[in-house]
């Protein structure tokens, strides 16, 4: 079934507008294309939707993203991460503005399988930018 990344399609995957980036692509498109896996994929998803989904605060979504990133060690070995980082860096050619600049930096880091500590620091920086209180357990990433 064809999808148009709008709320009027019926596939269930692309139907939520809060997962659509500024370039019209859906978060799940990036998760599938770059084979982000469960933890990095969910971190990307929560960063994309932060502040967009009714009933979910920016704080709640960014904290969920942090939880997934910091839990990502078990998903891939160090060698697998290096291979994915190299492949996704080569593959990623989306030069369009797909998210606000501060958020785009995080999304690029996730897509390129940067180390979880680097991504955590970027998320904490974005939390500060958005005025989100930093949990004590995340203070070490400031």
């Amino acid at each position: 079934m064809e999808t148009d990344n709008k709320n009027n399609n019926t596939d269930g995957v692309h139907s939520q507008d809060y997962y659509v980036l500024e370039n019209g692509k859906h978060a799940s498109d990036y998760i599938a294309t770059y084979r982000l896996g469960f933890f990095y994929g969910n971190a990307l998803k929560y960063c994309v939707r932060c502040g967009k989904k009714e009933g979910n605060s920016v704080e709640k979504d960014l904290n969920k993203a942090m939880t997934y990133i910091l839990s990502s060690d078990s998903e891939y070995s160090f060698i697998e991460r290096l291979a994915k980082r190299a492949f996704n860096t080569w593959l990623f050619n989306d030069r369009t503005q797909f998210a606000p600049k501060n958020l785009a930096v995080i999304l690029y880091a996730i897509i390129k399988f940067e180390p979880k500590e680097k991504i955590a620091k970027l998320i904490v920086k974005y939390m500060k930018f958005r005025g989100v209180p930093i949990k004590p357990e995340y203070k070490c990433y400031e």
Side-chain angles (χ1 to χ4, degrees), residues 25-87:
K25 290 185 181 177
H26 196 276
S28 64
D29 296 328
Y30 286 94
I31 293 167
T33 300
Y34 300 104
R35 297 180 177 98
L36 297 183
F38 181 78
F39 293 102
Y40 273 60
N42 274 304
L44 182 122
K45 177 183 79 169
Y46 283 112
C47 286
V48 167
R49 86 168 199 192
C50 74
K52 294 181 189 176
K53 184 176 180 184
E54 190 175 326
N56 288 70
S57 66
V58 171
E59 179 179 1
K60 185 175 180 179
D61 284 340
L62 291 176
N63 280 311
K64 284 182 179 181
M66 282 292 282
T67 299
Y68 281 109
I69 282 299
L70 295 175
S71 301
S72 66
D73 281 346
S74 63
E75 192 163 22
Y76 299 107
S77 71
F78 177 72
I79 299 300
E80 287 172 314
R81 279 179 203 271
L82 286 179
K84 284 183 165 289
R85 186 175 309 141
F87 183 75

Side-chain angles (χ1 to χ4, degrees), residues 3-134:
T3 62
D4 61 0
N5 291 342
K6 301 284 184 213
N7 220 9
N8 61 356
N9 70 35
T10 58
D11 71 357
V13 174
H14 291 87
S15 61
Q16 301 92 358
D17 284 341
Y18 44 84
Y19 291 125
V20 177
L21 291 118
E22 288 183 5
N23 63 3
K25 290 185 181 177
H26 196 276
S28 64
D29 296 328
Y30 286 94
I31 293 167
T33 300
Y34 300 104
R35 297 180 177 98
L36 297 183
F38 181 78
F39 293 102
Y40 273 60
N42 274 304
L44 182 122
K45 177 183 79 169
Y46 283 112
C47 286
V48 167
R49 86 168 199 192
C50 74
K52 294 181 189 176
K53 184 176 180 184
E54 190 175 326
N56 288 70
S57 66
V58 171
E59 179 179 1
K60 185 175 180 179
D61 284 340
L62 291 176
N63 280 311
K64 284 182 179 181
M66 282 292 282
T67 299
Y68 281 109
I69 282 299
L70 295 175
S71 301
S72 66
D73 281 346
S74 63
E75 192 163 22
Y76 299 107
S77 71
F78 177 72
I79 299 300
E80 287 172 314
R81 279 179 203 271
L82 286 179
K84 284 183 165 289
R85 186 175 309 141
F87 183 75
N88 285 355
T89 299
W90 171 77
L91 181 65
F92 189 77
N93 62 3
D94 193 341
R95 300 292 177 229
T96 61
Q97 183 67 23
F98 70 113
K101 185 178 180 185
N102 293 326
L103 184 58
V105 171
I106 299 169
L107 301 180
Y108 283 128
I110 292 171
I111 289 168
K112 293 181 179 180
F113 274 85
E114 294 289 348
K116 69 178 186 178
E117 294 80 10
K118 179 177 181 176
I119 298 169
K121 286 179 181 182
L122 293 170
I123 293 172
V124 166
K125 185 176 179 181
Y126 188 63
M127 287 174 157
K128 287 177 154 184
F129 172 76
R130 295 292 302 260
V132 172
I134 310 300

